[in-house]
Amino acid sequence: MTEKNTPAPVATPVPTPAVFTSRPLRVAIIGAGPAGVYAADILTKAERDFELSIDLFDRYPAPYGLIRYGVAPDHPRIKGIVKALHKVLDRGDIRFFGNVDYGTDLTISELREHYDAAIFATGAINDADLNIPGIELDGSYGGADFVSWYDGHPDVPRSWPLQATEIAVLGNGNVALDVARVLSKHPEDLLVTEIPENVYAGLAASPVTDVHVFGRRGPAQVKFTPLELRELSHSQDVDIVLYPEDFEFDAASDTAIKTNNQVKTMVGTLTNWLIEQEEREERGEAAATTGSGRPRRRLHLHFLHSPVEITGIDGKVSGIRFERQELDGTGNVRGTGELVDHPVQAVYRAIGYFGSALPEIEYDGRTGTVPNLEGKVLDAAGTQVPGLYATGWIKRGPVGLIGHTKSDAAETIAHLLADLNQLPVAANPAPEAVPALLAAKDVAYTSWDGWLALDAHEQGLGAAAAPAPTPAGPVVRERIKVVDREEMVAVSRTVDQTAGARA
């Protein structure tokens, strides 16, 4: 489904079913990232004349989903989003169950037994496919996989192959810029973040000198945001390199620049960088240095390049071939027939995320979403499945920014409330039945109080670490993220689970 910027419909008031006047409405939300937390918050604040009981489940021991495992650690705005999500979950009216895998630890029949409605907010964590020759070569990687590694995802390997000196990143969205920035940034400059120890060690050993970011369309059609673009220039000892032949604008580009402030800002920033670069070249000057003594790295931004093949030698990436594109007057592009080769030893595709199928729920393999009508889950025949809903990227696909999930969740919640009379009533709605069920299955679930313990533990690891030497002086670590799932669970479960669940 496409992103919706219009206000979500308000549910028409309906008489509250008698069952929910004698006990709370029980709702399960699967996924504790922004989409799931926003849905829980909107539901708790909705106008209603009945009590409510919400349980929030996540397959990871810690909450926050995409914020913890899908966004580069050096984003300054992330702290603000975490604070907002923390505030919602810390109120005590929403129970958090971490380290619970839907489909394994908790089935659809068990959800039906204990909840009157379930909302799926599982997001999208896999890379979108790119079907070109050579994509299978050693040295060809998914950007989402790399993001999971540097964000300390508990289910990915602890090491990452970082032998390449020249790297290509495919995509012109925020994830592509995140990947390129982390690859090109000097690792000691990331020590002020929560970067895990194994990630710092891996990046510190990287011999990279040049990272190239390639986009299919022109500078006026990029999908990243002004903030993402400006953050590139904040990387110390990293030169941004632009190419005059890539700065092509058609009628649609001119219109976008005049009518869209975001496009105007980004094109203005890129154009200014290009002018400054050309002026330095005319004077025979290199980019300004910081005197740090570190080898400088280069981050190249290319536009109007469409990948056609990844080339290799002995099964390993040795280069990538593009067809040059030109704008067609509408902001779209067409091929010119001109092929361009770039020697690289690694290729990262960052062309988008793709959702995964959920057990016992219909799945659309074309879009990577759960089939739904404005958040109401549909079966294979297109009929609404009573009591099941979806929100976030699993509902509409991986488009839009994190904040857009608020209006998305509001739409879903409005439909859930309008469906009160049609909800299948849970047979065993007792809140204490769920912890008992998980305990009987030996599921080492974590709680909100458990997360608070883990949060404090990670901050303590940072405080206990010796100040790290950097060109700007010693850096005190803010926190050090724990990567190992068993360690996360062990630290989290030092608190009493009954109290931690906050029944």
Side-chain angles (χ1 to χ4, degrees):
M1 296 181 70
T2 58
E3 180 64 65
K4 298 180 183 296
N5 294 316
T6 56
V10 177
T12 302
V14 296
T16 302
V19 66
F20 302 134
T21 60
S22 60
R23 68 154 175 91
L25 171 70
R26 292 276 287 148
V27 178
I29 300 177
I30 314 302
V37 176
Y38 289 150
D41 187 40
I42 291 169
L43 182 54
T44 60
K45 294 176 179 177
E47 184 177 350
R48 51 190 166 82
D49 57 1
F50 55 88
E51 295 299 314
L52 183 65
S53 174
I54 300 176
D55 289 345
L56 187 64
F57 296 90
D58 203 281
R59 66 189 299 255
Y60 307 125
Y64 305 146
L66 178 68
I67 296 298
R68 184 171 169 93
Y69 294 123
V71 181
D74 57 345
H75 277 314
R77 73 177 187 274
I78 295 308
K79 290 182 181 179
I81 299 174
V82 167
K83 287 181 180 178
L85 300 180
H86 176 100
K87 185 177 180 180
V88 173
L89 295 178
D90 201 47
R91 292 195 309 246
D93 56 352
I94 300 166
R95 295 198 302 182
F96 171 69
F97 292 88
N99 202 41
V100 178
D101 185 27
Y102 166 72
T104 303
D105 302 324
L106 195 63
T107 66
I108 191 70
S109 61
E110 290 164 339
L111 285 175
R112 292 289 200 188
E113 180 181 357
H114 298 291
Y115 299 94
D116 307 299
I119 303 171
F120 291 90
T122 51
I125 61 173
N126 295 319
D127 284 285
D129 290 334
L130 177 64
N131 295 315
I132 60 173
I135 198 70
E136 76 290 344
L137 289 169
D138 183 9
S140 171
Y141 308 112
D145 292 336
F146 182 60
V147 171
S148 292
W149 175 74
Y150 69 60
D151 271 334
H153 193 294
D155 297 335
V156 302
R158 300 292 182 266
S159 61
W160 188 271
L162 288 166
Q163 291 83 37
T165 58
E166 300 164 296
I167 299 172
V169 178
L170 308 181
N172 255 176
N174 287 342
V175 175
L177 289 197
D178 279 356
V179 168
R181 193 178 64 257
V182 171
L183 284 167
S184 61
K185 200 168 190 173
H186 290 273
E188 55 266 31
D189 294 338
L190 289 168
L191 289 174
V192 296
T193 74
E194 61 182 20
I195 184 173
E197 291 285 70
N198 65 298
V199 175
Y200 171 71
L203 292 173
S206 170
V208 65
T209 60
D210 293 83
V211 177
H212 299 260
V213 181
F214 295 94
R216 289 183 61 252
R217 298 201 285 175
Q221 288 80 38
V222 294
K223 297 298 183 182
F224 42 75
T225 62
L227 177 61
E228 292 278 351
L229 183 60
R230 286 194 297 268
E231 284 180 354
L232 294 184
S233 63
H234 297 162
S235 296
Q236 298 296 315
D237 300 313
V238 178
D239 299 331
I240 298 174
V241 183
L242 300 166
Y243 297 86
E245 62 271 22
D246 290 345
F247 279 72
E248 179 180 316
F249 302 95
D250 60 1
S253 301
D254 292 337
T255 299
I257 293 169
K258 293 175 182 177
T259 60
N260 187 306
N261 286 333
Q262 178 166 301
V263 174
K264 180 180 179 180
T265 298
M266 289 191 293
V267 171
T269 299
L270 289 166
T271 303
N272 287 337
W273 287 352
L274 179 61
I275 292 172
E276 293 169 1
Q277 173 183 301
E278 292 175 335
E279 290 175 346
R280 288 195 303 269
E281 291 172 350
E282 289 176 2
R283 296 193 299 266
E285 299 175 357
T289 61
T290 63
S292 67
R294 297 185 297 187
R296 298 195 69 84
R297 292 173 171 177
R298 290 170 293 276
L299 199 163
H300 308 253
L301 299 180
H302 304 265
F303 306 101
L304 300 170
H305 281 69
S306 181
V308 296
E309 181 182 5
I310 299 174
T311 57
I313 298 176
D314 296 330
K316 298 181 180 295
V317 171
S318 62
I320 183 167
R321 179 168 297 151
F322 296 90
E323 181 183 11
R324 287 284 300 181
Q325 305 292 295
E326 63 181 7
L327 293 167
D328 65 0
T330 69
N332 292 311
V333 293
R334 59 192 170 215
T336 66
E338 177 187 357
L339 298 179
V340 181
D341 289 301
H342 286 270
V344 296
Q345 299 83 51
V347 175
Y348 291 75
R349 67 182 186 279
I351 57 174
Y353 285 87
F354 203 76
S356 303
L358 296 170
E360 301 184 84
I361 305 292
E362 193 65 27
Y363 175 71
D364 187 339
R366 298 174 298 103
T367 61
T369 61
V370 169
N372 69 93
L373 177 62
E374 297 182 340
K376 297 180 289 186
V377 171
L378 307 177
D379 62 18
T383 303
Q384 180 181 353
V385 181
L388 298 188
Y389 301 86
T391 190
W393 282 1
I394 198 63
K395 167 187 173 183
R396 57 184 162 84
V399 294
L401 302 175
I402 291 172
H404 294 149
T405 57
K406 288 185 179 180
S407 60
D408 193 46
E411 178 184 68
T412 295
I413 296 303
H415 284 301
L416 187 158
L417 294 174
D419 290 344
L420 282 181
N421 284 303
Q422 287 78 45
L423 295 179
V425 177
N428 183 7
E432 62 272 16
V434 175
L437 170 68
L438 296 175
K441 289 186 171 187
D442 291 325
V443 177
Y445 68 88
T446 62
S447 66
W448 177 247
D449 285 342
W451 158 246
L452 295 180
L454 177 59
D455 184 36
H457 177 72
E458 292 185 340
Q459 293 181 51
L461 292 176
T470 74
V475 170
V476 176
R477 305 288 295 274
E478 174 184 321
R479 66 190 293 140
I480 298 176
K481 184 184 287 184
V482 174
V483 178
D484 184 77
R485 180 185 284 266
E486 292 184 359
E487 182 180 354
M488 293 173 67
V489 171
V491 172
S492 299
R493 287 177 65 84
T494 58
V495 301
D496 177 73
Q497 290 303 296
T498 302
R502 295 187 182 181

